[in-house]
């Protein structure tokens, strides 16, 4: 993990924590009790909702992403902490380069339902954007669905340009970092 990927500094009472086994256990507990499985994992297994396959995927994903952007996973995840309580997760993922040859990254965020609507996502996004700038990336993007108007509002308020209709193409938010 490069120095620029280590836990970013705190903004107010929002902090990004590196994921270790203790933090992973708190993230999983939050996901199971305060999030819908479809908000946090891909659809896996024969049954909908939380199941063994989704729980295994969740653990494996965060363990692999703990190693950082230069690891085989090509991504880094952090727990979003508010006042010492785990509230969700945010990530950066290498997506390659733009047509002009500059590095691009993707971010994704989920918060437990009881933490939404309090400005926590905005602060976490501000912290992860600083990490993205520190890696030398010039483009940061995120994707969401047409129905996720809260995510769209957050991304717009953070300065992203949104494109796509969310039906035939995902809604894509793009931040120009330089």
């Amino acid at each position: 993990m490069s120095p620029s990927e280590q836990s970013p500094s705190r903004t107010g009472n929002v902090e990004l924590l590196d994921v270790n086994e203790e933090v992973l256990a708190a993230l999983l507990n939050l996901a199971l009790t305060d999030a819908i499985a479809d908000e946090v994992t891909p659809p896996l297994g024969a049954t909908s909702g939380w199941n063994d396959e989704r729980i295994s995927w969740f653990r494996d994903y965060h363990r692999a992403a703990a190693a950082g952007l230069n690891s085989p996973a090509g991504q880094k995840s952090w727990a979003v902490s508010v006042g010492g309580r785990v509230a969700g997760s945010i990530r950066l993922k290498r997506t390659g380069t733009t047509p002009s040859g500059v590095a691009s990254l993707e971010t994704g965020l989920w918060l437990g339902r009881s933490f939404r609507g309090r400005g926590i996502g905005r602060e976490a996004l501000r912290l992860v954007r600083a990490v993205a700038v520190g890696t030398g990336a010039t483009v940061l993007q995120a994707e969401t669905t047409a129905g996720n108007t809260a995510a769209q509002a957050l991304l717009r308020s953070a300065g992203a340009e949104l494109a796509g209709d969310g039906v035939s193409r995902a809604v894509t938010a793009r931040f120009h970092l330089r």
Side-chain angles (χ1 to χ4, degrees):
M1 183 175 6
S2 72
S4 63
E5 290 178 64
Q6 294 184 8
S7 288
S9 62
R10 177 184 301 242
T11 299
N13 66 345
V14 176
E15 180 179 18
L16 302 187
L17 304 175
D18 286 325
V19 177
N20 58 29
E21 289 300 313
E22 180 182 347
V23 171
L24 177 56
L27 269 174
L28 179 57
N29 183 60
L30 177 72
L32 293 170
T33 61
D34 203 19
I36 296 171
D38 287 341
E39 298 169 338
V40 180
T41 74
L44 298 167
T47 60
S48 63
W50 286 105
N51 58 44
D52 290 340
E53 290 86 356
R54 281 184 155 173
I55 292 169
S56 290
W57 180 92
F58 185 92
R59 286 185 179 121
D60 292 345
Y61 168 81
H62 283 286
R63 285 177 178 139
L69 290 170
N70 294 325
S71 72
Q75 56 187 327
K76 171 71 176 151
S77 69
W78 296 269
V80 177
S81 173
V82 181
R85 292 182 56 210
V86 170
S89 178
I90 194 165
R91 68 173 170 83
L92 282 176
K93 179 180 180 180
R94 290 197 184 282
T95 57
T97 57
T98 65
S100 60
V102 294
S104 63
L105 297 171
E106 178 182 86
T107 190
L109 167 72
W110 68 267
L111 294 174
R113 291 183 175 271
S114 63
F115 291 95
R116 297 176 189 173
R118 299 178 8 200
I120 297 164
R122 186 178 321 107
E123 295 304 317
L125 187 55
R126 183 187 339 251
L127 290 168
V128 88
R129 282 180 67 188
V131 174
V133 168
T135 69
T138 58
V139 176
L140 177 63
Q141 66 182 35
E143 287 190 359
T144 191
T145 62
N148 195 340
T149 56
Q152 291 175 39
L154 167 63
L155 293 163
R156 255 192 225 97
S157 74
E161 300 169 1
L162 271 58
D165 59 15
V167 178
S168 61
R169 292 186 314 142
V171 174
T172 301
R174 181 165 287 188
F175 298 94
H176 298 281
L177 301 175
R178 298 188 194 269

